[in-house]
Amino acid sequence: MIFSVFSTAWNSMNKSGAVAEFVLLGFSARWETRIFLFSLFFMVYVLTMVGNGAIMCAVRRDQRLHTPMYILLGNFAFLEFWYINSTVPSMLENFLSETKTISFAGCLLQFYFFSSLGTTEIYFLCIMAYDRYLAICHPLHYPTIMTLKHCCTLMAVCWVLGFLSYFLSTIQLSQLSFCGPNIIDHIICDIDPLMALSCAPAPVTEILFYILSSLILFLPILYILGSYILLLRAVLKVPSAAGRRKAFSTCGSHLAIVCLFFGSLMIMYVSPTSENSGEAQKIISLFYLVVTPFLNPLIYSLRNKEMKAALRKVMGIASE
């Protein structure tokens, strides 16, 4: 349905002489600088793809990892794999392109998929915090509560809600009139620059989007922080100093990534961004579009002994 809506809107705009494509400016820089940025982001993109791909293979092939925690990590890696593919390939193409154009339908599809996958990631972070809370605060009840069936149900809910959250907003966006100009001063097709290009104001669509974004961001972050507060309280009761240090290290790294991801999202979608320059907004966007997908495999999976052993097995490296 979403594809037919975009196609119909695009064809009608072509017939009426309205905007049929947008110019996505990306980073304004000289050719040499753009080549450097292309090389840098391409390397990060490849490493992110390899890291998440390795985690998916390890979870799939190693029977010891067929437990709720690792199934969650494997699905999270699968999510990150597609999340970074929804934006970074077009960013890389934009660095080398002279025209920097993107079709109307392609622009809306990019917005829908990166918004949906980003929202799904937010929900996944919630259930991962819930999983760790149960494992540390209620270890005796963990096997009976977090069963494989319950884990798969939670993951399915995350995917469904993630792709439904911005479905109506994207359809509303596709119905707006775009009669020029068609220049988007951003690195991706996002709702703020698209709304700014609309010929007629749409305050209802804009208000609904900000309300939805605020709920999607604030409720999960409050839940995640609450879970980690309870988790840290339980860690403080651990008698072993080494055990406390290890738990604090793990929780601290997780919270750092969560704060980086949610913080950059809130700056872009909740706080007023009119005072920030276009270049500043592009840099902020990189934190949730590129940096966190790159760091997540390192923080959530590759620091885990069982996961590292499974990865060595997948890559054919003998265990030490």
Side-chain angles (χ1 to χ4, degrees), residues 76-194:
F76 190 64
F78 177 76
L79 168 63
E80 292 286 47
F81 182 91
W82 289 111
Y83 178 59
I84 197 168
N85 271 295
S86 67
T87 55
V88 173
S90 66
M91 287 170 54
L92 293 173
E93 181 184 3
N94 188 272
F95 283 125
L96 305 180
S97 173
E98 294 298 332
T99 59
K100 300 180 180 294
T101 57
I102 183 171
S103 69
F104 176 79
C107 191
L108 289 182
L109 284 171
Q110 184 187 67
F111 166 73
Y112 175 69
F113 279 109
F114 102 80
S115 298
S116 299
L117 290 165
T119 304
T120 306
E121 178 168 343
I122 290 173
Y123 298 149
F124 256 86
L125 289 172
C126 286
I127 62 172
M128 290 168 72
Y130 171 66
D131 176 75
R132 291 299 83 206
Y133 163 75
L134 286 178
I136 294 177
C137 297
H138 302 283
L140 298 179
H141 299 288
Y142 179 80
T144 57
I145 297 176
M146 186 57 77
T147 62
L148 197 57
K149 180 180 178 180
H150 184 52
C151 177
C152 291
T153 301
L154 289 174
M155 290 188 299
V157 170
C158 287
W159 282 101
V160 172
L161 288 180
F163 276 82
L164 287 178
S165 294
Y166 285 98
F167 183 77
L168 292 179
S169 296
T170 309
I171 291 179
Q172 287 179 313
L173 189 61
S174 71
Q175 303 306 308
L176 298 179
S177 298
F178 296 93
C179 52
N182 67 336
I183 298 175
I184 300 176
D185 188 14
H186 204 8
I187 55 177
I188 56 170
C189 289
D190 209 347
I191 193 162
D192 281 337
L194 284 172

Side-chain angles (χ1 to χ4, degrees), residues 52 54-78 124 128 131-132 135 142 146-148 151-152 155 246 300-311:
N52 286 298
I55 291 168
M56 287 188 284
C57 290
V59 173
R60 180 178 177 84
R61 294 185 181 184
D62 197 322
Q63 293 291 328
R64 295 172 299 177
L65 301 185
H66 290 183
T67 60
M69 184 182 79
Y70 292 109
I71 295 293
L72 275 173
L73 289 176
N75 272 265
F76 190 64
F78 177 76
F124 256 86
M128 290 168 72
D131 176 75
R132 291 299 83 206
Y142 179 80
M146 186 57 77
T147 62
L148 197 57
C151 177
C152 291
M155 290 188 299
K246 181 179 178 181
Y300 283 99
S301 301
L302 301 184
R303 294 182 58 176
N304 184 286
K305 289 183 178 180
E306 290 81 3
M307 182 63 74
K308 286 193 288 187
L311 289 172

Side-chain angles (χ1 to χ4, degrees), residues 223-243:
Y223 175 81
I224 292 170
L225 291 176
S227 299
Y228 274 102
I229 288 172
L230 295 175
L231 191 150
L232 290 173
R233 284 178 57 188
V235 169
L236 289 173
K237 298 177 182 178
V238 174
S240 168

Side-chain angles (χ1 to χ4, degrees), residues 175-319:
Q175 303 306 308
L176 298 179
S177 298
F178 296 93
C179 52
N182 67 336
I183 298 175
I184 300 176
D185 188 14
H186 204 8
I187 55 177
I188 56 170
C189 289
D190 209 347
I191 193 162
D192 281 337
L194 284 172
M195 291 285 293
L197 294 179
S198 175
C199 299
V204 175
T205 301
E206 193 168 357
I207 291 171
L208 289 176
F209 175 80
Y210 282 118
I211 291 174
L212 178 63
S213 298
S214 299
L215 291 174
I216 289 174
L217 288 172
F218 280 114
L219 294 181
I221 190 62
L222 289 175
Y223 175 81
I224 292 170
L225 291 176
S227 299
Y228 274 102
I229 288 172
L230 295 175
L231 191 150
L232 290 173
R233 284 178 57 188
V235 169
L236 289 173
K237 298 177 182 178
V238 174
S240 168
R244 287 197 301 270
R245 282 196 299 270
K246 181 179 178 181
F248 275 124
S249 174
T250 302
C251 294
S253 57
H254 289 188
L255 277 176
I257 292 297
V258 167
C259 291
L260 178 65
F261 182 67
F262 278 93
S264 55
L265 284 173
M266 287 179 180
I267 292 172
M268 285 298 298
Y269 297 110
V270 178
S271 64
T273 57
S274 57
E275 297 179 358
N276 297 327
S277 66
E279 295 298 316
Q281 292 188 31
K282 296 172 192 177
I283 294 171
I284 294 168
S285 300
L286 291 176
F287 284 101
Y288 60 84
L289 293 174
V290 181
V291 176
T292 53
F294 172 69
L295 293 177
N296 276 331
L298 300 174
I299 299 299
Y300 283 99
S301 301
L302 301 184
R303 294 182 58 176
N304 184 286
K305 289 183 178 180
E306 290 81 3
M307 182 63 74
K308 286 193 288 187
L311 289 172
R312 284 197 294 266
K313 184 178 178 181
V314 167
M315 293 184 291
I317 302 174
S319 300

